[in-house]
Amino acid sequence: MKLKTCFAAFSLGLLAACAQITPHEAIQNANIRKAVQNARTRSDHDALTNHFVGAARQMQIKAEEQKKLLEHYEEKSYLYGRRAQDLKSHTWALARKYEETAEAHVKEAAVHRQMALEAAQHNYAARDE
C-alpha cells in the first residue's frame, strides 16, 4: 500500500511539473510582451531586467527540482517498472527545457540591461545640450 501511495504522490508531482502554462502565466506573458513593446525609459528597461532575472531564477529552480526527481527515478527505477525509462526521459527533457528557458531569460535581461544603459546615456546627453 505504501508503494501505491508513493507512486501516486510522484505521479501527481510529475503532472504538476509538466503543466505547460497556467492561466496566470498566459496573462503575465501577454503583459510582459506589451511591456517590452512599450519600454522606452531606463526605469522601464530596469523593471524588465528585474523581471527576466527573476524568471530565470524560477526556471533554474524548476530545473533543479527535475534533476532531483531524475536522480530519484535513476536510483529507484525498480519501483516504476516499465514506466521508469519513460519517466526518466520525460524528466530529463523537462529539466533541459527549464534550463534553456532560464538561459533565454538571462539573455533577455542582458539586452534590457544594455537598453537601460543606453537610455540613461541618451537622457544624460540630452540634458547637457
Side-chain angles (χ1 to χ4, degrees):
M1 191 63 165
K2 251 186 169 182
L3 182 61
K4 286 184 180 181
T5 305
C6 182
F7 181 72
F10 279 117
S11 296
L12 186 60
L14 183 62
L15 285 174
C18 295
Q20 291 296 321
I21 189 164
T22 65
H24 174 71
E25 289 172 329
I27 292 168
Q28 187 177 8
N29 285 343
N31 290 339
I32 293 301
R33 274 195 304 273
K34 194 173 201 178
V36 167
Q37 291 172 351
N38 296 332
R40 301 283 182 261
T41 65
R42 178 181 183 172
S43 61
D44 292 342
H45 290 292
D46 284 338
L48 287 168
T49 298
N50 292 336
H51 167 77
F52 285 114
V53 166
R57 282 189 195 123
Q58 288 177 343
M59 290 294 112
Q60 198 58 43
I61 289 169
K62 286 182 177 186
E64 292 302 319
E65 289 171 356
Q66 292 301 310
K67 286 179 183 178
K68 287 178 185 176
L69 188 57
L70 180 60
E71 284 179 24
H72 169 78
Y73 288 146
E74 289 174 345
E75 291 172 2
K76 310 278 185 175
S77 61
Y78 59 88
L79 294 175
Y80 302 99
R82 293 183 189 181
R83 295 195 45 195
Q85 189 59 41
D86 290 341
L87 291 170
K88 287 190 274 187
S89 303
H90 186 72
T91 305
W92 179 83
L94 276 175
R96 188 169 151 241
K97 176 187 167 211
Y98 289 142
E99 286 177 339
E100 288 172 355
T101 304
E103 194 174 303
H105 286 315
V106 167
K107 288 178 182 177
E108 191 71 25
V111 167
H112 286 287
R113 189 174 291 119
Q114 182 62 36
M115 288 177 164
L117 289 173
E118 290 171 5
Q121 290 171 349
H122 179 71
N123 286 343
Y124 183 74
R127 260 191 304 167
D128 286 345
E129 292 178 1

